[in-house]
Amino acid sequence: MPSVRQSWVASANGHADFPLQNLPFGVFRRAGTSETPRVGVAIGDDILDIPACVAAELFKAFGDDVQHAARACVSPSLNALMGLGAASRRALRDALTALLASDVDENARQIEQYALVAQSSAELFLPVEVGDYTDFYASVHHATNVGSMFRPDNPLLPNYKWVPIGYHGRASSLVVSGTPIARPSGQRKGPNDAEPTVGPSRLFDYELELGAFVGTGNALGTTIGIADAESHLWGYCLLNDWSARDLQAWEYQPLGPFLAKNFASTIGAWVVTPEALEPFRAPLAPRAEGDPAPLPYLTDEGDRARGGLALTVEAWLRTTRMREAREPAVRVSTGSSLDLYWSFAQMLAHHASNGCNMRPGDLLGSGTISGPEKGSRGCMLELTWRGAEPLELPNGERRGFLEAGDELTITAFAERDGAVRIGFGRCTGQVIG
Amino acid sequence: MPSVRQSWVASANGHADFPLQNLPFGVFRRAGTSETPRVGVAIGDDILDIPACVAAELFKAFGDDVQHAARACVSPSLNALMGLGAASRRALRDALTALLASDVDENARQIEQYALVAQSSAELFLPVEVGDYTDFYASVHHATNVGSMFRPDNPLLPNYKWVPIGYHGRASSLVVSGTPIARPSGQRKGPNDAEPTVGPSRLFDYELELGAFVGTGNALGTTIGIADAESHLWGYCLLNDWSARDLQAWEYQPLGPFLAKNFASTIGAWVVTPEALEPFRAPLAPRAEGDPAPLPYLTDEGDRARGGLALTVEAWLRTTRMREAREPAVRVSTGSSLDLYWSFAQMLAHHASNGCNMRPGDLLGSGTISGPEKGSRGCMLELTWRGAEPLELPNGERRGFLEAGDELTITAFAERDGAVRIGFGRCTGQVIG
């Protein structure tokens, strides 16, 4: 393994999520204060306070572009920085790397004193003010599994392998990791019920997803070509699209999911950049025999040659009894972003192909990431086949769906020989009521 | 007819849309200037510039609440004013009425000189910065007609008369009346095509809708009771949910419409208040024999007793040839908001029933307003039965769907004996390409 660049922030070296090679962006303040939230990057167990570095004029040595980008971090959201685009992000990231690397540690003492905040004493906020949130359905395994439960005779619809299927989600109810999630009430009607009844969802679920944020957008009436699409994706996050399956089954025809989803979606606090993920590109799962080639506006041979996002994604469950017994969360699934049928670049190019305008900070969700094996299914609906095969937890508890007090956590990481492992932190939420 | 309060703005008296009794809110500036857009109300052929009245201290006589509301109008959107809620709107409206009424015209000379802008010399903007836009499907006639084309064996789904069906629309592509509408390209696949092709929509349509804006919202995890729902609705607008029917047919399963709709939706520039509409309440169309009673969370007997929004809604078409021949637009349909199966109060109570949070300025669309008669169908898809029965225009042209150059305009008005007619102005867009 080649020698790895180290940080003078000791906790970063060997950190499972946040080594010097990651530097994900987030919005934070010191917990228990009324400070204005602001942009920082995670480094080891700490956060580098970018506005504090601006105030200390630490970016002066890096030129105008970097200073401009750093000033955009004096903000309670990443939107302004995202709107500056990819070149600006790369320049700022290079400067942050230089400030934090152990080989150029001239400012270390000053940063440590004035611009480093322990994550354990920080409050993290929604990193982005999302104008529009679109959720896709990019896992063919998820689509096939769910389809076979909702439409046994017609699991995968004929449009699936042509169209990156997506729908608009609710932006107002996006919350940051750690926010408790109230189980929604709504109309449910079983196949044998004469009429619907109203009450708390009994089939309460999570969906393990990744999200991508738009950087520079496009004007209404213009498109984003597939070859350019990746450069418009500013960064990636963890996403849990909580779902009330009983509400969904009754309401979703003909216009799609609505109250079954829009009561809350949780996103992770850290936005990981394409630069941090670049070393982990890997070949995408090959298309199945007989699958159509994507239409030209969705075809980028270069994209396929470069490979796709190679992230291992995991879901962890901890019940109230486990928490009381101080037992750790149990992993309920492990999947891979390489199993997605459509890439984020394809989702974005499709989304803008009709002239729909994207704004900085708009969020695209992958949809539930499920793989071909049972252990890689990204939601309870699939894992337990709608409750028919409940999960058996180590303490003897069983779960068909999530119950009150359950804490569900999503994680993601990238690792490979010759590169330093990076991760996304945690995207967690406890079910209330 | 009782004597009618007049305005000293002469053009207001007898105005088809904007008499003293209406006073709809909008956002404007003098055309051709770089003035900051700001809030005003339409009065006759003019706009009352509320920030100019604030600067002239004309609200001082009306007390703190009115002054607070008027200061919220020093803004390029109505959001701040909407967030102050219904009591604030009523107080400001009363003050504006007093300023504009001919019986208390002490400030007329000053207002005329400094705070009245001719609509003909004003530029109108999107009146609201919409956080989330939700479109419903509240016309049972529309749902039945469309259902019988998309699903001949199953036109009205079993959930329709229980659930106010809705879906999330795209906020970024909301545009104000007058904005040209680029016909979108996308995937189309006819039933006899082996594969989809990509190209401009051939079945390009409008949808005649009304929109309602949320005033005070609700916190995530709380609900809005049906009895309170109406007080959360700040005002109403015209809405055209442009639709590419060929894209829609191919993409909409299983997650609903997406690229078929999100390239643009046009809203009228004027937001009409509940107070202006109050005199026109009328009994709702009775539910059909055998229809289920709405579930308790959607039942407000008081609401039903008070009656519903009684608006006549119309769609007007003008082709390029008609424009070149200086022929006026032709009315292609006339409907009524009383034919909606679900009220806006029911839509809002349903939307928040799962704890989904609403923010000031969020937009709810009614969905296409169609009535039981052919002449009251609110989109080309229904009017021409998917093109099978084209419209015959007075100049001999025929239209199955909209074509390049066509200008589609939506209007709405309320009138009844004993009240002064009010209207919404125009919601118009020309199809480009």
Side-chain angles (χ1 to χ4, degrees):
Chain A
M1 187 161 168
S3 82
V4 163
R5 202 168 183 193
Q6 303 280 308
S7 174
W8 54 259
V9 179
S11 64
N13 304 318
H15 197 282
D17 282 339
F18 306 133
L20 181 64
Q21 287 70 20
N22 192 351
L23 301 185
F25 288 81
V27 171
F28 77 101
R29 71 174 168 205
R30 278 166 238 262
T33 72
S34 57
E35 291 175 352
T36 303
R38 54 196 182 274
V39 173
V41 289
I43 176 75
D45 295 334
D46 293 325
I47 301 168
L48 178 71
D49 182 340
I50 298 177
C53 298
V54 170
E57 303 198 333
L58 294 182
F59 295 106
K60 270 210 158 165
F62 297 98
D64 288 348
D65 286 356
V66 169
Q67 288 187 75
H68 189 56
R71 279 195 298 269
C73 297
V74 187
S75 169
S77 81
L78 283 165
N79 295 63
L81 182 61
M82 288 178 166
L84 298 179
S88 163
R89 178 191 64 235
R90 283 191 289 264
L92 179 59
R93 179 181 153 81
D94 288 347
L96 295 170
T97 301
L99 289 177
L100 291 165
S102 57
D103 49 317
V104 278
D105 64 349
E106 66 219 58
N107 300 301
R109 183 72 56 92
Q110 190 181 2
I111 293 173
E112 200 163 15
Q113 197 164 355
Y114 299 109
L116 223 46
V117 175
Q119 284 173 38
S120 58
S121 68
E123 180 182 5
L124 295 170
F125 293 83
L126 209 57
V128 179
E129 196 179 315
V130 176
D132 279 291
Y133 158 40
T134 303
D135 205 18
F136 283 86
Y137 198 51
S139 163
V140 67
H141 306 290
H142 173 68
T144 305
N145 286 335
V146 173
S148 62
M149 283 179 265
F150 280 67
R151 294 174 305 276
D153 49 339
N154 198 14
L156 195 67
L157 294 168
N159 57 13
Y160 187 84
K161 292 184 171 178
W162 297 94
V163 179
I165 295 289
Y167 68 103
H168 296 120
R170 179 89 189 169
S172 73
S173 55
L174 288 166
V175 297
V176 72
S177 175
T179 308
I181 301 299
R183 179 205 302 260
S185 281
Q187 293 191 32
R188 304 92 30 109
K189 182 179 171 298
N192 303 320
D193 299 339
E195 297 188 352
T197 56
V198 175
S201 170
R202 298 185 195 108
L203 309 182
F204 191 63
D205 205 353
Y206 71 95
E207 289 197 334
L208 190 175
E209 304 195 15
L210 291 169
F213 291 103
V214 173
T216 43
N218 62 306
L220 188 65
T222 69
T223 61
I224 296 176
I226 181 70
D228 290 332
E230 219 167 65
S231 71
H232 287 263
L233 296 168
W234 199 93
Y236 300 88
C237 70
L238 299 170
L239 172 62
N240 180 350
D241 187 39
W242 305 94
S243 296
R245 301 299 184 189
D246 38 1
L247 278 58
Q248 185 176 353
W250 173 231
E251 76 171 0
Y252 91 104
Q253 284 191 313
L255 301 184
F258 183 49
L259 298 192
K261 305 271 196 176
N262 65 11
F263 56 91
S265 308
T266 305
I267 67 178
W270 296 111
V271 180
V272 176
T273 63
E275 289 71 35
L277 293 165
E278 185 66 26
F280 304 98
R281 281 182 179 274
L284 298 163
R287 297 204 154 201
E289 184 116 12
D291 281 2
L295 288 164
Y297 79 101
L298 297 172
T299 300
D300 176 12
E301 290 309 328
D303 186 45
R304 229 165 152 90
R306 285 192 304 276
L309 279 188
L311 289 165
T312 301
V313 292
E314 299 182 324
W316 303 76
L317 177 63
R318 197 179 190 202
T319 68
T320 300
R321 260 184 58 196
M322 292 163 74
R323 206 164 34 249
E324 286 171 357
R326 299 177 180 277
E327 291 160 6
V330 60
R331 185 171 57 198
V332 295
S333 74
T334 303
S336 167
S337 56
L338 290 171
D339 283 327
L340 293 175
Y341 195 84
W342 300 104
S343 70
F344 279 109
Q346 287 172 316
M347 297 179 223
L348 180 60
H350 179 66
H351 204 327
S353 66
N354 67 344
C356 180
N357 57 323
M358 303 284 142
R359 296 178 292 189
D362 282 351
L363 176 62
L364 312 184
S366 61
T368 306
I369 302 176
S370 294
E373 300 87 24
K374 187 168 177 186
S376 62
R377 295 175 182 165
C379 62
M380 298 292 279
L381 179 69
E382 290 172 81
L383 280 170
T384 72
W385 213 251
R386 201 170 190 158
E389 304 164 23
L391 294 181
E392 311 274 355
L393 303 180
N395 68 357
E397 288 185 285
R398 294 154 61 101
R399 284 292 181 276
F401 284 89
L402 297 177
E403 297 184 8
D406 287 354
E407 194 175 63
L408 196 289
T409 301
I410 292 172
T411 57
F413 62 90
E415 67 182 352
R416 70 185 290 177
D417 287 348
V420 180
R421 171 189 156 126
I422 65 170
F424 280 65
R426 293 153 44 89
C427 176
T428 191
Q430 188 179 3
V431 181
I432 304 295
Chain B
M1 187 160 169
S3 82
V4 162
R5 202 169 182 193
Q6 302 280 307
S7 173
W8 54 260
V9 178
S11 64
N13 303 317
H15 196 282
D17 282 338
F18 306 134
L20 181 63
Q21 288 70 19
N22 192 353
L23 301 184
F25 288 80
V27 170
F28 77 102
R29 72 174 167 201
R30 277 167 238 262
T33 73
S34 57
E35 291 175 353
T36 303
R38 54 197 182 273
V39 174
V41 289
I43 176 74
D45 296 334
D46 292 327
I47 300 168
L48 178 71
D49 181 340
I50 299 178
C53 298
V54 171
E57 304 199 331
L58 294 181
F59 295 107
K60 270 212 156 164
F62 297 99
D64 288 349
D65 285 357
V66 169
Q67 288 186 75
H68 187 56
R71 278 196 298 268
C73 297
V74 187
S75 168
S77 81
L78 282 165
N79 295 63
L81 181 62
M82 287 178 165
L84 298 178
S88 161
R89 178 191 64 234
R90 282 191 289 266
L92 178 60
R93 179 181 152 82
D94 288 348
L96 295 170
T97 302
L99 290 176
L100 291 166
S102 56
D103 49 317
V104 280
D105 64 349
E106 66 216 60
N107 299 303
R109 183 74 57 91
Q110 191 180 1
I111 293 173
E112 201 163 15
Q113 199 165 353
Y114 298 110
L116 225 45
V117 175
Q119 285 172 38
S120 59
S121 68
E123 181 183 5
L124 295 169
F125 293 83
L126 209 57
V128 179
E129 196 179 315
V130 176
D132 279 291
Y133 158 40
T134 303
D135 204 18
F136 283 87
Y137 198 54
S139 164
V140 67
H141 306 290
H142 173 67
T144 305
N145 286 336
V146 173
S148 61
M149 283 178 267
F150 280 67
R151 295 174 303 277
D153 49 337
N154 198 13
L156 195 67
L157 293 169
N159 57 12
Y160 188 85
K161 292 184 172 178
W162 297 95
V163 179
I165 296 289
Y167 69 101
H168 296 120
R170 179 88 190 170
S172 72
S173 55
L174 288 165
V175 297
V176 73
S177 175
T179 308
I181 302 299
R183 178 204 302 259
S185 280
Q187 293 191 31
R188 305 90 31 108
K189 182 180 172 298
N192 303 321
D193 299 339
E195 297 189 350
T197 55
V198 175
S201 170
R202 298 184 195 108
L203 309 182
F204 191 64
D205 205 353
Y206 70 96
E207 289 197 332
L208 190 174
E209 304 196 15
L210 290 168
F213 290 104
V214 174
T216 44
N218 62 306
L220 188 65
T222 69
T223 60
I224 295 175
I226 181 71
D228 290 332
E230 219 168 64
S231 72
H232 287 262
L233 296 168
W234 200 92
Y236 301 87
C237 71
L238 299 171
L239 172 62
N240 180 351
D241 187 39
W242 304 94
S243 298
R245 301 300 184 189
D246 37 2
L247 278 57
Q248 186 176 354
W250 173 232
E251 76 171 0
Y252 91 106
Q253 285 190 314
L255 301 184
F258 183 51
L259 296 193
K261 304 271 195 176
N262 65 11
F263 56 92
S265 309
T266 305
I267 68 177
W270 296 111
V271 179
V272 176
T273 63
E275 290 71 36
L277 294 166
E278 184 66 28
F280 304 98
R281 281 182 178 274
L284 298 163
R287 297 205 153 200
E289 183 114 11
D291 281 1
L295 288 164
Y297 79 101
L298 297 173
T299 301
D300 175 12
E301 289 309 329
D303 185 46
R304 220 153 165 97
R306 285 192 303 276
L309 279 188
L311 290 166
T312 302
V313 292
E314 300 181 324
W316 304 77
L317 176 62
R318 198 180 191 201
T319 67
T320 300
R321 260 185 57 196
M322 291 163 74
R323 205 166 35 249
E324 286 171 355
R326 297 178 179 275
E327 292 159 6
V330 60
R331 185 170 58 198
V332 294
S333 74
T334 303
S336 168
S337 56
L338 290 171
D339 283 327
L340 293 174
Y341 195 84
W342 299 105
S343 71
F344 278 109
Q346 288 172 316
M347 296 180 225
L348 180 60
H350 180 66
H351 203 327
S353 67
N354 67 344
C356 180
N357 57 324
M358 303 286 143
R359 295 178 292 190
D362 283 349
L363 175 62
L364 312 184
S366 61
T368 306
I369 303 176
S370 293
E373 299 88 26
K374 188 170 176 185
S376 62
R377 295 176 183 166
C379 61
M380 298 292 278
L381 179 68
E382 291 172 81
L383 280 171
T384 71
W385 213 252
R386 202 168 189 158
E389 305 165 23
L391 295 180
E392 311 273 354
L393 303 181
N395 68 356
E397 287 184 284
R398 294 154 62 102
R399 282 293 181 276
F401 285 89
L402 298 178
E403 297 183 9
D406 286 357
E407 194 174 62
L408 196 290
T409 300
I410 292 171
T411 58
F413 62 89
E415 66 182 352
R416 69 184 293 176
D417 286 348
V420 180
R421 170 188 157 127
I422 64 170
F424 279 65
R426 293 152 44 87
C427 176
T428 193
Q430 188 178 5
V431 180
I432 303 297

